[in-house]
Every structure is written in C-alpha cells, then in structure tokens.
Amino acid sequence: MRPNPTLADLPLRPELVGEEPYGAPQLDVPVCLNVNENPYPPSAATLTDMAEAIRAAAYHRYPDREFTRLRGQLADYLGHGLGVENVWAANGSNEVMTHVLGAFGGPGRRVLSFTPTYSMYPEYARNTHTAYVTAPRRADFTLDAELALGAIAEHDPSVVLITTPNNPTGTTTPLAVVEEVLAGTDAIVVVDEAYQEFSRTPGATALSLLPRYGNLVVSRTMSKAFAFAGGRLGYLAAAPAVVDACRIVRLPYHLSAQTQAVASVALAHADEMLARVDDLRAARDDLVASSRELGFEVVDSDANFAL
Ligand code: PMP
C-alpha cells in the first residue's frame, strides 16, 4: 500500500465507510448547553482530596480489575439494598453500554430503542455488530407499554433501551410502564437513567424493580448531575449474572488507577457534588416557563435540558 493512505485505501469494515466520528461540537463559549453537563466544578477541598488520591495511587501496578472499592461506593450511593455484585462501571455509560451490547447484542441480534432518543445508541450498536431498530414514541414523546411491547413483538430484540428521562425530549417513562415491559419480555431491558437525579421524582427509579426482574439493567452516569463528566465514570445496576456477562467482554484493567481514585473521592463527596442539582432543576423550570411566555412550545422536562 502507498504511504499516507486515505480511508478508502484501507480495508475498513464496510459498515464504517462514510461514517463520521461522534461530533457534539466542543466550543469555547461562555454558556455550553449542548452536552447536558453540570456547569458547577467541584470545590477546592474536593479537588485537593482528588489530587491527594492521585498522588497515593500505585502506578507501577495494574489497577484493581474489579474496582471492588468503587463498586461498593456506587452500590452504597444507589441504595436499594444493592451490593458490589450488582454494580458494574466503565469509562462513561457509553462504555458500559458497549459492554452490555457486547455481551447481549452481536451479529444477527437487534437492539430496540424508542425515538427520538440519544444519538449515540446507533453507534454502540454498530460497534458491537448489533442491528439497531427503532419505534417512534407517541406524538407527545411519551412511551406506553402497548407501544413498547408491540415493537418488541415486531422486532424480537435481544436488548431494549428505555431512556428515562429521555434525551432529547426530557420526558419520563412511568415505572408502571417499565414494569409492564419487563413482565412481557425476556430481552435485556436497559433503563438509561443518565438524568435521573434531575427528575421531579428522583425516587421513582427502576432500581426498585431490580429484585423482581432478572433482565433489568439500570444505567447511570456520574457525568450529569454528579458534575463529573471529565472523570468518565458510568455504571449500571443489575443482577450479578448480568455483571458477570459484562466482565467477560470488558478489556482487562479498563478503569485506570486515576479514574478509580478520583471517582472514589467524588463519591465520598456525593452530597457536595450533587449540591447544585436543586438549583439546576429550578433553572430548568424557569427556562421552560419563560420560553413558553416567549411563545415556544416546550415539552415538560425531567432532565437538565428542555426540548
Ligand atoms: N445516556 C444518555 C441518555 C445521555 O444523554 C448520555 C450523555 N449525553 C449518556 C448516556 C452518556 O454519558 P457518559 O458516557 O458521559 O456517561
């Protein structure tokens, strides 16, 4: 092959031809709204503890492959009687989803989502050789059990994604609907609760359904309310067998010593990391109300953004 080839010269997988890398613009602007972060940085005291934890980590050794301490802290944060064996984590919930699809998707299988929804899902599917199929939400962007179970019957997916609060609509799917879906399928049902802490009813979480449904995966992230997008830590809660499946497909040592150390400090300061969530909820409600006064049609939002 000639030096300095173009993509067209390389034996690229056919389904990647013409694809562009994920491209939410990274702009240097005073108010950045496009990736739904928490705009408030950690306090000086938390940053000092993070620096100390980074200094104390052992860099000549591989990190704990099972990141047991961090999983224990995540389980404690979630509550609901969860333990280390129920929790898995990776570099953002993006990577967690890649583990889930690596384990439960794959060639000849389908993952189903309800559109409009998070734009990365088709990329996780493509990267794990899983077919991506969708069903449109109702006109008001809600999801009900009849719609979801009808789409499951039509597509026979091995993984179903229910995003609540949903990106980009901010709409919530009631727990009763999630439960009806779980009762009606043996597919893995991932409830992506990336924005759950911003909900008007944060306690109404699919975590409460875990004791009853072995096919339920609740996905969470520290990137949003937890003000830790730069730390890259996403996680899930599920039955121990689901965690074991993720452990099969993860790369060894995927969570670095630094990530484990800093995330652990962030979790130890959970109250402080989450301190601005009430303010952000109020700011969201103000934004929705004033946008309506300006004549815009705005969907009620349980997230830190509004459509
Ligand atoms: N799920 C949803 C619904 C999201 O909106 C996002 C981020 N925009 C993610 C997952 C991924 O977040 P992260 O990889 O930072 O954990």
Side-chain angles (χ1 to χ4, degrees):
M1 189 182 293
R2 65 187 180 83
N4 196 20
T6 67
L7 264 184
D9 299 320
L10 298 171
L12 190 65
R13 280 166 46 193
E15 64 274 29
L16 300 184
V17 172
E19 292 284 292
E20 299 277 342
Y22 174 70
Q26 293 199 291
L27 303 175
D28 187 12
V29 291
V31 180
C32 182
L33 296 177
N34 70 332
V35 283
N36 310 336
E37 295 147 325
N38 182 329
Y40 300 107
S43 71
T46 301
L47 288 173
T48 301
D49 287 357
M50 287 177 174
E52 176 53 33
I54 288 274
R55 209 185 59 77
Y59 294 102
H60 59 306
R61 302 289 188 200
Y62 285 107
D64 175 8
R65 255 193 324 255
E66 309 295 340
F67 45 99
T68 311
R69 172 158 184 256
L70 185 59
R71 283 160 71 196
Q73 285 181 286
L74 289 164
D76 289 346
Y77 169 67
L78 292 176
H80 291 266
L82 297 167
V84 172
E85 67 285 0
N86 297 111
V87 173
W88 185 244
N91 296 282
S93 57
N94 282 308
E95 190 182 18
V96 174
M97 283 297 307
T98 309
H99 291 172
V100 169
L101 289 180
F104 300 107
R109 291 181 164 200
R110 289 157 299 285
V111 53
L112 170 69
S113 77
F114 302 96
T115 53
T117 193
Y118 182 38
S119 59
M120 276 295 287
Y121 295 145
E123 299 191 24
Y124 310 148
R126 182 198 65 204
N127 291 354
T128 58
H129 307 269
T130 313
Y132 185 67
V133 293
T134 61
R137 291 166 172 263
R138 300 286 180 203
D140 61 358
F141 304 120
T142 58
L143 185 62
D144 53 67
E146 188 192 350
L147 190 162
L149 289 171
I152 290 169
E154 182 186 343
H155 294 291
D156 189 26
S158 59
V159 180
V160 179
L161 304 176
I162 297 179
T163 314
T164 178
N166 184 44
N167 176 1
T169 60
T171 41
T172 296
T173 299
L175 272 190
V177 171
V178 173
E179 177 153 25
E180 229 181 297
V181 173
L182 284 163
T185 181
D186 281 335
I188 295 290
V189 177
V190 179
V191 180
D192 185 345
E193 294 188 347
Y195 299 97
Q196 185 64 25
E197 291 96 339
F198 292 115
S199 168
R200 282 163 288 190
T201 51
T205 157
L207 294 170
S208 64
L209 301 173
L210 280 170
R212 274 176 287 147
Y213 298 96
N215 56 333
L216 170 61
V217 174
V218 183
S219 175
R220 293 281 189 104
T221 180
M222 291 174 71
S223 296
K224 308 299 180 183
F226 221 94
F228 196 64
R232 305 306 298 131
L233 206 290
Y235 55 105
L236 63 71
V242 171
V243 171
D244 286 343
C246 292
R247 291 173 57 227
I248 295 172
V249 297
R250 62 95 194 277
L251 294 174
Y253 316 109
H254 66 289
L255 277 187
S256 76
Q258 304 94 292
T259 299
Q260 293 187 40
V262 179
S264 180
V265 172
L267 281 159
H269 290 79
D271 288 348
E272 187 204 306
M273 299 296 282
L274 291 162
R276 304 304 291 266
V277 168
D278 286 344
D279 296 341
L280 290 167
R281 262 197 227 108
R284 168 199 66 205
D285 292 341
D286 284 350
L287 180 77
V288 169
S290 51
S291 302
R292 283 178 180 153
E293 277 163 26
L294 290 170
F296 291 103
E297 195 180 324
V298 187
V299 185
D300 278 332
S301 174
D302 272 298
N304 62 341
F305 53 83
L307 179 70

